[in-house]
Structures are given as C-alpha cells and as structure tokens.
Amino acid sequence: MTILNASTFEVTGTEPSYREGETRETGTIEATLGGKVKRVAAVRYDNGHIVSWDFTGRYRTGTKAWPATVSIREDGREHVWYGKDHHTGRCQKNGLSFA
C-alpha cells in the first residue's frame, strides 16, 4: 500500500522549479497513514515526480520528531526520507505520521 495517492493530486497553482525554465505545480494530495486519510500539501514536477513535506518521522528508540518527505517518482516507486541514514540496528525508522 502506498502513502500518497497520485490520482488525487489537485493543482492550486504553479511556481518556478529548481531547474531553469521549468515550472512545478503546487497543490494537495490524499495521503493514508494508519488507516487515516488526510489531504496534504504537495508539488508535482514536469516529469510527474510528486513530493510532500507534510509528515514527521521517528526512530524506534528515539523521541525526536524529524521532518519527513514522502515522494512518488515517475516510475511509481514511493520513497520516505527523514533523519539520518543510519545502517545500524539501533537506528531503525518505524514511525511516520502527519505533521
């Protein structure tokens, strides 16, 4: 199951992209976490890549809430980023929530 539902992206405006001469669409998208559906802010790039920054993530053994990003790439794969990219057993990521 994916977090972001790409088919629900609704455009509210456009703005310059980080690539010169390109634009990106701003808007909202439906996200599902723990059975709850919420509409969150997102952007869609010219290549179809969708990104939302309306999440927080936690490590299994930590208490700090890290800003989190969820994205859907052009190939349909979804990625979640937050905190540091540790590859040790004690730094396992397991908690994503709405910001």
Side-chain angles (χ1 to χ4, degrees):
M1 182 173 160
T2 60
I3 298 167
L4 300 178
N5 183 348
S7 66
T8 64
F9 186 85
E10 292 182 3
V11 179
T12 58
T14 59
E15 63 186 25
S17 177
Y18 63 94
R19 292 183 179 155
E20 188 175 332
E22 292 185 8
T23 59
R24 65 183 190 178
E25 298 171 319
T26 58
T28 61
I29 192 169
E30 283 184 5
T32 305
L33 285 175
K36 296 180 184 178
V37 178
K38 184 176 178 181
R39 190 155 277 281
V40 296
V43 296
R44 181 169 53 195
Y45 293 92
D46 291 341
N47 62 3
H49 190 153
I50 299 172
V51 180
S52 177
W53 295 270
D54 278 355
F55 302 93
T56 57
R58 294 182 190 274
Y59 286 96
R60 182 184 60 179
T61 58
T63 57
K64 179 180 178 177
W66 295 81
T69 301
V70 178
S71 70
I72 301 174
R73 295 192 179 266
E74 333 47 271
D75 62 6
R77 291 186 303 154
E78 189 168 70
H79 297 275
V80 177
W81 290 279
Y82 64 87
K84 297 180 181 178
D85 190 19
H86 293 294
H87 297 285
T88 63
R90 68 178 186 84
C91 293
Q92 294 177 349
K93 299 174 180 181
N94 73 335
L96 188 67
S97 60
F98 293 113

